[in-house]
Each structure stands twice: as C-alpha cells, then as structure tokens.
Amino acid sequence: MDSNSIWTGCIRNIVEGDSDIIAGALTVTADREDVVDFTLPYYDFAGIQIVMKKQNRQISLFYFADVFTPLAWLCLGVVIAVTSIILLLRASGS
C-alpha cells in the first residue's frame, strides 16, 4: 500500500479485478488479509501461496447449487428424467 492508502502491485491487480489469482512468494500481512484470501503455503521453505480476492457473499442453504448455472441444473434434470423414463420403459417391456 502506498502513502495514499492505495494498493499497488499484485494486490492492486486482485482488488481491481485485473487478475483472478496470484501464485507466488507473498508475505501475509494484516492489511493484505483484509482485502484478499491467502492459502496455506505449499512449501514452507519457499513461502509460495495463492491469493484470491475476498468474496462478500452470504452462504445460503443452497450453496452447493452455485457450482452450476440454472440452465445447467435444468439440463441435468432433463437428462436424469429422460434416462429414468427410458430405463422404466425398457424394464417394463422385458
């Protein structure tokens, strides 16, 4: 952070959205932890970490559903329904 309290370098890229993640040797400080998430170091002797912008989201009951878009969930439901119907028809026919 510079003298005007503006982030510079890698942290600035994350905060402003120019970068999604940073992988490198970066010292964890309290000021940096306020604006980005740090992983645990992969190698203690190297200090290599991955940094991502902190998310300001509320965790809901359906947090697991965020991995797919609503259209993807719809397609998945249709595939399961069609497969179930085909298996039911095939089982009843034999």
Side-chain angles (χ1 to χ4, degrees):
M1 190 179 300
D2 66 8
S3 60
N4 297 327
S5 297
I6 297 174
W7 287 105
T8 60
C10 296
I11 301 297
R12 177 181 169 187
N13 290 343
I14 289 288
V15 170
E16 292 184 356
D18 295 334
S19 299
D20 293 325
I21 63 170
I22 298 170
L26 191 62
T27 305
V28 179
T29 64
D31 290 335
R32 288 177 179 165
E33 275 194 311
D34 286 340
V35 293
V36 295
D37 284 329
F38 288 88
T39 63
L40 295 174
Y42 286 101
Y43 300 106
D44 285 335
F45 65 89
I48 296 175
Q49 298 185 6
I50 296 175
V51 179
M52 299 180 302
K53 185 174 182 180
K54 282 196 172 194
Q55 300 293 323
N56 294 328
R57 294 190 305 172
Q58 294 285 343
I59 298 177
S60 69
L61 180 62
F62 298 103
Y63 179 72
F64 68 92
D66 288 343
V67 295
F68 295 126
T69 63
L71 180 61
W73 280 113
L74 177 67
C75 292
L76 182 62
V78 168
V79 166
I80 290 172
V82 169
T83 303
S84 299
I85 292 170
I86 291 172
L87 289 173
L88 179 67
L89 293 174
R90 185 160 187 214
S92 64
S94 47

